[in-house]
Amino acid sequence: MTDETTPPRVRAGRPTREQAEARHQELLDAALDLFLEHGFEVTTIEMIAARVSMTKRTIYARHPDKATLFRTAIQRAIERQIVPSHVLEALDRGELSATLEAIARLRIERIAAPHGLRLQHLINAESHRFPEIFTAYIEQSTRPLIDHVAAVLQRAVEAGEIAPTHVGHAASAFMSMVVGGPVRAIVGGLAPTRQELDVKVGFAVRLLLDGLRPR
């Protein structure tokens, strides 16, 4: 006879698609952490599997080797840095300098976030081994932002706010002058305070626009 007090055995079913995807994202995050901590060469699939309590067989089912896993993890990290066009459009403050400052702050804040810093450090450390990750970062994350700034500047040219210029070059200068300096400091471990960042960004935007004003 069956003991009626014994609870029925529950079969472990297959995970849902959402659960499987969540576990995969967890795997990619753990892989990036370990690649950052130990470098690509030292990090092993065994270490990654142990970090997320996953079998090597499960990992290899989706990623045939460590390099493929690394590239996939980096690609996901790049995608997290992409700013949707509607978010950029919402930063229009109705005034050129204020709009450019808002764009700069958003870009800097994304890079300064933990996942943004991790990506920057990994690109710096491993782009010699995987040059395509640097190209992917520029084309997917940086280039759309430059194109958006160029469009903002083109509207300013048409409105007579700034002199006719090569807006693509001006947008690249914006990235170097306004964003590049604070980002280099943050990645190097010398993050400015919010007040210092506001001063630096405001000064760089004014300097850029002073060079573009009609004479």
Side-chain angles (χ1 to χ4, degrees):
M1 295 179 61
T2 303
D3 185 353
E4 294 182 358
T5 64
T6 302
R9 180 178 299 177
V10 178
R11 287 188 177 182
R14 293 174 61 86
T16 65
R17 181 177 299 179
E18 291 76 13
Q19 290 171 331
E21 183 57 27
R23 282 290 282 159
H24 186 233
Q25 301 306 320
E26 183 183 350
L27 166 66
L28 297 181
D29 276 337
L32 285 182
D33 285 338
L34 285 167
F35 285 131
L36 182 58
E37 292 169 19
H38 305 287
F40 177 83
E41 197 67 34
V42 173
T43 301
T44 64
I45 293 295
E46 288 82 357
M47 293 166 62
I48 298 169
R51 176 68 65 92
V52 291
S53 300
M54 188 178 292
T55 66
K56 291 191 296 180
R57 180 178 179 180
T58 300
I59 296 175
Y60 282 127
R62 298 192 67 161
H63 307 283
D65 52 46
K66 184 172 67 170
T68 302
L69 174 58
F70 178 78
R71 291 188 183 97
T72 303
I74 287 288
Q75 176 58 33
R76 174 177 177 264
I78 290 172
E79 290 169 359
R80 294 180 70 180
Q81 288 294 296
I82 297 172
V83 181
S85 57
H86 71 274
V87 173
L88 290 173
E89 292 292 346
L91 295 177
D92 188 346
R93 300 294 187 259
E95 195 273 325
L96 183 57
S97 62
T99 298
L100 292 178
E101 288 179 22
I103 294 171
R105 289 192 191 94
L106 177 63
R107 174 69 169 182
I108 294 167
E109 288 169 1
R110 288 221 170 191
I111 293 176
H115 57 81
L117 281 176
R118 180 174 61 185
L119 176 61
Q120 291 294 317
H121 287 306
L122 280 168
I123 289 176
N124 291 343
E126 302 294 349
S127 59
H128 70 288
R129 193 191 313 272
F130 300 95
E132 68 273 18
I133 66 176
F134 179 76
T135 301
Y137 177 74
I138 295 299
E139 292 303 315
Q140 297 178 46
S141 178
T142 305
R143 177 58 56 191
L145 186 62
I146 292 176
D147 290 344
H148 178 77
V149 172
V152 170
L153 294 175
Q154 182 59 41
R155 291 196 293 269
V157 169
E158 294 168 0
E161 296 179 67
I162 61 176
T165 188
H166 191 301
V167 293
H169 291 169
S172 294
F174 166 85
M175 289 295 292
S176 296
M177 292 173 55
V178 184
V179 178
V183 164
R184 283 190 293 272
I186 291 168
V187 174
L190 300 173
T193 65
R194 180 55 188 257
Q195 183 178 6
E196 291 171 338
L197 181 61
D198 287 344
V199 170
K200 289 177 182 293
V201 168
F203 177 83
V205 166
R206 289 193 300 274
L207 187 63
L208 176 69
L209 293 182
D210 282 347
L212 295 174
R213 299 291 184 193
R215 296 293 190 266

